[in-house]
Amino acid sequence: MRVFETHVQELKNDVLRSVAKLAWADDLQTGILDIPEQLIPGPEAKMRCCIYKERAIISQRVKVAMGGDRTNPNLVEVLDIACDECPVTEISVGPSCRGCIATRCVHACPKDAITVVERKATIDHKKCITCGKCVAACPYGAIEKKTRPCERSCKAGAISMGEDRKAFIDPNKCTSCGACVYQCPFGAIMDKAFIVDAIQMLQGADKWGFHVYAAVAPSIAGQFAPADLGQVVTGLKMLGFHDVVEVALGADMTAKHEAVELEEKGMLASSCCPAFVDFVEKNFPEQAHLISSTPSPMIMAARNIKKKDPSAKVIFIGPCVAKKKEVKLGKTMRAVDSALTFEELYAMFESRDIDVSKLEDADLDQASGFGRSFARSGGVTAAVKEALAERGSKFEVKPMTCSGLEACKLAFLKAAKGIGDFNFIEGMACEGGCVQGPAQLIRSPKNQGDVDRHAKQAEGRTIEEAVAAAETLSQKDEAE
């Protein structure tokens, strides 16, 4: 059994596996009622005050694992019952307060919320508006502004404390990057799962006469260790997938088209990360035209599948929460039918008692090393440069590689003011790129090394050769 990074991830896996088992058995309607007691048998509580609260939280997790609140536009949901352990007082005075006679904190407060009582600053939280001016004013650094982990992780500024003192996610700001899901230490925020949809799709393939393809993101390298990618491919086919394709091949196609687009327009921003694109559209609408019109690698790979198999169903599998939102909003040109995360795929394997590390290897070798490198920060830029070189272009790419939304914001602020010498913005919402996505099974600095090794295995294959081979295969299938 896998040793997870946190108990939150372990609990999430338990719920996903339980839901998946019931979906395979077509027993969801009655079986879901038993999941809380099965996972929390009691009699003693392990994580919360009592087993009844633990079971109530499991019930909410089950709901989100089955698609969540359909009326909630957010792809990530706050589990109200679970969100109650974080400090609700944001600004507090610590023991370092010396009761100094300067009282800069008192004078800095615009709401007269600070007084000195017994030679120590005291904050009236009924008046405090958490502006932070007292924090900046204190020479001892004795006043602290406590920020909840979810708020601190949200670089889009979408999370705040609601009137009920629980986390609130503003759908008008949220980019579904999933950082809050990973960072919440109580697991009170969870991404909606469409694992039931995927299982029903696989079960209906033979009955309705269509094939289901798995499109796997290049960041899968090393995620199911000690199993290698070939064994994971075998496992996917055991689940019922007709075939498996590399999204990295779609990345090759994206790089080829983006290279042409960049040369024609002279200034461009990448389109592969949906959270980055959403962030730009919501925060810099006047500069959204800079986003490449080239479809993302996920869409490119799926379109290539449906070109050779028009009735196919395509399920994307990756580390990305935002990809699920991209699919649900219908932004995939009808190319992608559903999306799963690596966490959800692992739960599906467990639900069928499939140990991928014990399986035979299957071949999956379609993309170039440049396409596979899309999974890490800097990979898109390298691929676009290579695509330009392969077509004999003399165009000079001057990149601004943005790792994380804060860096993306800075790049667009500079672009708006004409500051900086760059003509290509590579935007990744996750710091480090997809290799550090919120739904990775393993989040480690080693992930980039795994992807780099996977890319090196395709060394010698150019982007043009990878794309040409895929197009030739599609034409052959069409002819047959």
Side-chain angles (χ1 to χ4, degrees), residues 173-210:
K173 294 181 179 180
C174 179
T175 64
S176 299
C177 70
C180 56
V181 177
Y182 177 75
Q183 292 295 340
C184 178
F186 279 91
I189 303 178
M190 183 175 171
D191 51 310
K192 294 177 180 177
F194 304 103
I195 196 169
V196 174
D197 296 350
I199 290 171
Q200 290 176 343
M201 200 179 294
L202 289 166
Q203 290 178 319
D206 290 338
K207 180 179 180 181
W208 300 106
F210 58 79

Side-chain angles (χ1 to χ4, degrees), residues 358-369:
K358 296 180 180 179
L359 303 179
E360 296 292 326
D361 273 319
D363 185 56
L364 184 64
D365 189 20
Q366 303 155 338
S368 78

Side-chain angles (χ1 to χ4, degrees), residues 8 48 57 60-61 77-84 167 180-181 184-190:
V8 170
R48 301 284 182 155
I57 292 171
Q60 285 197 335
R61 282 190 163 276
E77 289 190 17
V78 177
L79 309 180
D80 291 340
I81 299 176
C83 182
D84 68 351
C180 56
V181 177
C184 178
F186 279 91
I189 303 178
M190 183 175 171

Side-chain angles (χ1 to χ4, degrees), residues 363-409:
D363 185 56
L364 184 64
D365 189 20
Q366 303 155 338
S368 78
F370 293 97
R372 291 174 179 177
S373 293
F374 259 58
R376 63 169 178 82
S377 181
V380 179
T381 298
V384 169
K385 285 183 176 180
E386 172 66 14
L388 283 165
E390 287 182 17
R391 63 194 299 266
S393 172
K394 301 296 183 182
F395 185 87
E396 182 184 2
V397 180
K398 299 177 181 179
M400 172 71 80
T401 303
C402 304
S403 177
L405 287 181
E406 288 182 322
C408 296
K409 179 180 180 179

